[in-house]
């Protein structure tokens, strides 16, 4: 089932999420729905708060970048780029502080806005997949980038928060319009209604 996506200004995007304790049919159904919703919106990642939920969970699909990822992995496509992946209770367990990379980021919850964001380039990450198998691996380049963006969603952080004060001023009008419900996308959005709060 395709779920409506919550957009900038809706409080659920600013709330912290709650660790997932155990597997359930409901959780598996939510994962399926989130993957379908991500595909419908042609996104590479989608976090639970973006569909109005508070589970510590996001899904990614890096198959579109599989060949690029393989180039830095001895020509082999790693498991995380072979199929859509659910990441449960994800965490960063190490950051190489002196290596950063700039990358253009967009967000399904902030349609139409793409900006350059600087983030750490190399991380060590840990998460459980949808079968509750634990993984610990080095995440650099594309995986590291998507992982950080989606993990931020689980902590109520949006990529806009990293922009310079000048950039934020330039976007202020568009964002306040968006928070007031002036937002369009070619995928279903959650109705703003009383959920919106100006930031
Ligand atoms: Zn996002």
């Amino acid at each position: 089932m395709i779920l409506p996506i919550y957009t900038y200004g809706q409080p659920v995007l600013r709330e912290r999420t709650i660790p997932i304790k155990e597997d359930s049919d409901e959780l598996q159904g939510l994962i399926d729905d989130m993957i379908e919703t991500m595909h419908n919106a042609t996104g590479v990642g989608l976090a639970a708060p973006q569909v109005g939920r508070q589970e510590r969970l996001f899904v990614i699909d890096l198959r579109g970048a599989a060949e690029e990822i393989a180039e830095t992995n001895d020509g082999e496509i790693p498991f995380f780029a072979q199929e859509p992946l659910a990441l449960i209770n994800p965490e960063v367990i190490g950051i190489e502080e002196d290596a950063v990379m700039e990358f253009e980021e967009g967000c399904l919850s902030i349609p139409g806005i793409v900006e350059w964001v600087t983030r750490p380039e190399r991380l060590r990450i840990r998460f459980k997949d949808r079968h509750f198998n634990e993984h610990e691996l080095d995440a650099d380049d594309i995986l590291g980038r998507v992982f950080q963006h989606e993990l931020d969603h689980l902590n109520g952080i949006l990529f806009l928060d990293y922009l310079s004060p000048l950039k934020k001023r330039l976007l202020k009008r568009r964002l306040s319009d968006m928070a007031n419900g002036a937002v369009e996308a070619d995928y279903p959005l959650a109705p703003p209604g009383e959920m919106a709060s100006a930031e």
Side-chain angles (χ1 to χ4, degrees):
M1 184 170 62
I2 293 167
L3 305 170
I5 292 179
Y6 286 70
T7 51
Y8 181 81
Q10 293 182 291
V12 70
L13 292 179
R14 292 304 196 181
E15 282 163 15
R16 278 188 67 92
T17 46
I18 299 158
I20 293 170
K21 291 208 174 69
E22 58 189 12
D23 198 5
S24 68
D25 290 346
E26 204 221 339
L27 177 68
Q28 294 299 323
L30 175 62
I31 289 170
D32 288 337
D33 288 348
M34 285 176 63
I35 289 170
E36 192 179 344
T37 302
M38 168 176 66
H39 286 158
N40 181 62
T42 54
V44 294
L46 182 73
Q50 295 182 274
V51 292
R53 305 283 298 232
Q54 284 191 293
E55 286 88 350
R56 235 170 143 68
L57 160 72
F58 62 78
V59 297
I60 62 175
D61 191 341
L62 301 182
R63 286 177 297 177
E67 282 181 27
E68 203 179 328
I69 292 169
E71 276 172 30
T72 57
N73 192 50
D74 298 328
E76 291 194 14
I77 299 171
F79 77 98
F80 59 79
Q82 288 180 8
E83 57 183 2
L85 190 68
L87 295 91
I88 293 169
N89 300 339
E91 55 187 325
V92 172
I93 55 176
I95 294 181
E96 203 173 302
E97 292 289 352
D98 50 354
V100 294
M101 74 187 297
E102 260 205 323
F103 203 85
E104 267 191 314
E105 289 188 32
C107 180
L108 296 177
S109 291
I110 313 167
I113 295 179
V114 175
E115 296 289 346
W116 290 90
V117 179
T118 304
R119 294 185 186 269
E121 187 177 0
R122 281 192 282 280
L123 322 163
R124 184 102 184 137
I125 62 171
R126 185 156 62 201
F127 62 91
K128 288 188 171 70
D129 63 28
R130 68 182 302 168
H131 309 296
F132 283 73
N133 296 317
E134 189 167 279
H135 300 268
E136 196 180 303
L137 64 151
D138 292 321
D140 39 55
D141 204 34
I142 297 162
L143 174 63
R145 165 70 38 171
V146 174
F147 187 95
Q148 291 178 80
H149 178 113
E150 300 307 332
L151 183 63
D152 274 351
H153 275 300
L154 304 185
N155 296 324
I157 298 167
L158 302 172
F159 80 89
L160 299 172
D161 302 343
Y162 298 108
L163 302 182
S164 69
L166 174 64
K167 265 283 173 214
K168 282 181 184 161
R169 271 207 302 282
L170 291 171
L171 289 171
K172 200 170 177 198
R173 181 63 189 271
R174 269 174 87 185
L175 290 172
S176 68
D177 286 351
M178 202 180 285
N180 287 317
V183 54
E184 281 182 12
D186 52 10
Y187 41 86
L189 300 177
E194 71 279 6
M195 293 292 287
S197 76
E199 292 187 38

